[in-house]
Protein backbone atom coordinates (compact mmCIF):
# COMPACT_ATOMS: atom_id res chain seq x y z
CA UNK A 1 0.00 0.00 0.00
CA UNK A 2 1.27 3.47 -0.83
CA UNK A 3 1.99 5.29 2.45
CA UNK A 4 1.60 8.66 0.69
CA UNK A 5 -2.15 8.01 0.37
CA UNK A 6 -2.63 7.75 4.14
CA UNK A 7 -3.59 10.36 6.70
CA UNK A 8 -3.97 10.08 10.45
CA UNK A 9 -7.44 8.68 11.11
CA UNK A 10 -7.63 6.54 7.95
CA UNK A 11 -8.91 2.99 8.27
CA UNK A 12 -6.80 0.18 6.82
CA UNK A 13 -6.48 -3.54 7.44
CA UNK A 14 -3.51 -5.65 8.38
CA UNK A 15 -2.76 -8.29 5.75
CA UNK A 16 -2.82 -11.08 8.33
CA UNK A 17 -6.18 -9.88 9.76
CA UNK A 18 -8.29 -10.63 6.68
CA UNK A 19 -10.51 -13.66 7.19
CA UNK A 20 -13.30 -14.76 4.86
CA UNK A 21 -12.71 -11.61 2.78
CA UNK A 22 -13.62 -9.45 5.80
CA UNK A 23 -10.99 -6.94 6.86
CA UNK A 24 -10.53 -6.07 10.50
CA UNK A 25 -10.11 -2.28 10.49
CA UNK A 26 -7.22 -0.47 12.13
CA UNK A 27 -6.92 3.28 12.53
CA UNK A 28 -3.74 5.01 11.33
CA UNK A 29 -2.26 7.10 14.13
CA UNK A 30 0.92 8.18 12.40
CA UNK A 31 3.39 7.67 9.59
CA UNK A 32 6.84 6.90 10.98
CA UNK A 33 10.30 6.95 9.37
CA UNK A 34 11.05 4.19 6.85
CA UNK A 35 7.37 4.07 5.81
CA UNK A 36 6.29 2.40 9.03
CA UNK A 37 2.71 2.93 10.17
CA UNK A 38 1.59 3.50 13.75
CA UNK A 39 -1.92 2.19 14.32
CA UNK A 40 -4.38 0.94 16.90
CA UNK A 41 -6.87 -1.88 16.70
CA UNK A 42 -10.45 -1.34 17.86
CA UNK A 43 -10.46 0.58 21.13
CA UNK A 44 -7.12 -0.74 22.37
CA UNK A 45 -4.96 1.75 24.25
CA UNK A 46 -1.76 0.16 22.99
CA UNK A 47 0.01 1.73 20.00
CA UNK A 48 1.28 -0.78 17.43
CA UNK A 49 3.60 -0.47 14.42
CA UNK A 50 3.99 -2.27 11.12
CA UNK A 51 5.63 -1.86 7.71
CA UNK A 52 3.61 -0.30 4.91
CA UNK A 53 3.69 -3.58 2.99
CA UNK A 54 1.85 -5.31 5.86
CA UNK A 55 -1.36 -3.31 5.35
CA UNK A 56 -4.06 -3.23 2.72
CA UNK A 57 -6.85 -0.82 1.83
CA UNK A 58 -10.36 -1.76 2.91
CA UNK A 59 -12.77 -2.23 0.02
CA UNK A 60 -15.67 0.20 0.26
CA UNK A 61 -19.08 -1.48 0.52
CA UNK A 62 -22.62 -0.73 1.67
CA UNK A 63 -21.89 -2.06 5.18
CA UNK A 64 -19.13 0.51 5.64
CA UNK A 65 -21.24 3.29 4.16
CA UNK A 66 -24.46 2.67 6.09
CA UNK A 67 -23.38 1.04 9.35
CA UNK A 68 -20.07 2.84 9.95
CA UNK A 69 -19.85 6.09 7.98
CA UNK A 70 -23.37 7.60 8.41
CA UNK A 71 -24.60 7.24 4.84
CA UNK A 72 -28.23 6.54 4.05
CA UNK A 73 -29.08 3.88 1.47
CA UNK A 74 -31.44 5.68 -0.93
CA UNK A 75 -31.93 2.53 -3.05
CA UNK A 76 -30.94 1.85 -6.62
CA UNK A 77 -27.25 1.95 -5.72
CA UNK A 78 -27.40 5.53 -4.36
CA UNK A 79 -26.07 6.49 -0.93
CA UNK A 80 -26.24 9.93 0.70
CA UNK A 81 -24.35 11.24 3.73
CA UNK A 82 -26.82 12.18 6.45
CA UNK A 83 -25.24 15.56 7.27
CA UNK A 84 -23.71 16.73 3.97
CA UNK A 85 -24.83 17.11 0.36
CA UNK A 86 -22.60 14.21 -0.69
CA UNK A 87 -23.75 11.23 -2.75
CA UNK A 88 -22.28 7.94 -3.89
CA UNK A 89 -23.48 5.69 -6.68
CA UNK A 90 -22.39 2.06 -6.63
CA UNK A 91 -21.23 0.74 -10.01
CA UNK A 92 -21.69 -2.94 -9.09
CA UNK A 93 -20.17 -4.55 -12.18
CA UNK A 94 -16.87 -2.74 -11.64
CA UNK A 95 -16.93 -2.65 -7.79
CA UNK A 96 -16.40 1.06 -7.33
CA UNK A 97 -18.43 4.11 -6.28
CA UNK A 98 -18.91 7.38 -8.13
CA UNK A 99 -18.80 10.21 -5.58
CA UNK A 100 -20.71 13.46 -6.08
CA UNK A 101 -20.70 16.60 -3.95
CA UNK A 102 -24.22 17.37 -5.16
CA UNK A 103 -27.08 15.40 -6.66
CA UNK A 104 -25.77 13.60 -9.77
CA UNK A 105 -27.07 15.10 -13.00
CA UNK A 106 -29.02 12.93 -15.40
CA UNK A 107 -26.78 13.83 -18.33
CA UNK A 108 -23.55 12.51 -16.73
CA UNK A 109 -21.91 15.94 -16.77
CA UNK A 110 -21.75 16.36 -12.99
CA UNK A 111 -18.38 16.42 -11.27
CA UNK A 112 -17.56 13.11 -9.65
CA UNK A 113 -14.66 11.01 -8.49
CA UNK A 114 -14.39 7.23 -8.62
CA UNK A 115 -13.45 5.50 -5.35
CA UNK A 116 -12.97 1.88 -4.24
CA UNK A 117 -11.42 2.10 -0.77
CA UNK A 118 -12.47 3.45 2.63
CA UNK A 119 -9.32 5.55 3.17
CA UNK A 120 -9.76 7.26 -0.21
CA UNK A 121 -13.35 8.19 0.68
CA UNK A 122 -12.14 9.54 4.04
CA UNK A 123 -9.50 11.66 2.29
CA UNK A 124 -11.94 13.03 -0.32
CA UNK A 125 -14.53 13.82 2.32
CA UNK A 126 -11.98 15.78 4.36
CA UNK A 127 -10.80 17.62 1.25
CA UNK A 128 -14.35 18.63 0.32
CA UNK A 129 -15.85 19.44 3.72
CA UNK A 130 -12.89 19.95 6.09
CA UNK A 131 -14.55 17.35 8.33
CA UNK A 132 -13.45 13.85 9.28
CA UNK A 133 -15.56 10.93 8.14
CA UNK A 134 -15.80 9.03 11.43
CA UNK A 135 -16.30 5.29 11.90
CA UNK A 136 -19.42 4.91 14.06
CA UNK A 137 -18.68 1.24 14.75
Amino acid sequence: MNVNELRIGNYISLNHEIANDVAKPCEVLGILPDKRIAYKENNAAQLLECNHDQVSPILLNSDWLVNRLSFKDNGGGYFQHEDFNFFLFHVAEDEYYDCYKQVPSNDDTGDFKTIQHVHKLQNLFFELFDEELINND
Side-chain angles (χ1 to χ4, degrees):
M1 181 165 189
N2 186 349
V3 149
N4 296 333
E5 296 177 358
L6 296 177
R7 292 184 324 104
I8 293 173
N10 282 158
Y11 298 105
I12 55 173
S13 67
L14 297 174
N15 292 341
H16 67 276
E17 292 288 342
I18 300 175
N20 300 325
D21 292 330
V22 176
K24 181 177 177 183
C26 298
E27 182 180 352
V28 174
L29 296 180
I31 308 298
L32 308 172
D34 299 327
K35 298 183 180 181
R36 293 186 58 74
I37 298 170
Y39 68 94
K40 72 175 183 176
E41 294 178 308
N42 298 329
N43 294 325
Q46 181 179 349
L47 180 68
L48 304 168
E49 293 181 20
C50 67
N51 289 322
H52 72 283
D53 58 357
Q54 294 176 297
V55 298
S56 297
I58 298 173
L59 195 61
L60 191 58
N61 60 37
S62 61
D63 176 59
W64 266 93
L65 290 172
V66 174
N67 297 322
R68 298 178 185 216
L69 300 175
S70 299
F71 280 80
K72 178 183 173 193
D73 186 346
N74 288 343
Y78 286 94
F79 297 85
Q80 177 181 2
H81 193 275
E82 293 178 351
D83 299 324
F84 293 90
N85 191 24
F86 187 67
F87 297 83
L88 299 169
F89 175 70
H90 185 220
V91 181
E93 54 274 3
D94 293 322
E95 284 304 315
Y96 65 81
Y97 289 80
D98 285 337
C99 304
Y100 301 85
K101 190 175 176 183
Q102 57 194 20
V103 178
S105 61
N106 291 331
D107 61 2
D108 293 330
T109 61
D111 291 334
F112 70 92
K113 183 166 181 72
T114 299
I115 292 188
Q116 285 185 298
H117 300 110
V118 172
H119 75 281
K120 295 266 188 159
L121 178 59
Q122 287 179 283
N123 294 347
L124 176 62
F125 195 87
F126 185 79
E127 183 180 327
L128 292 173
F129 300 108
D130 201 27
E131 296 273 344
E132 295 293 345
L133 193 53
I134 304 296
N135 183 352
N136 297 322
D137 191 22

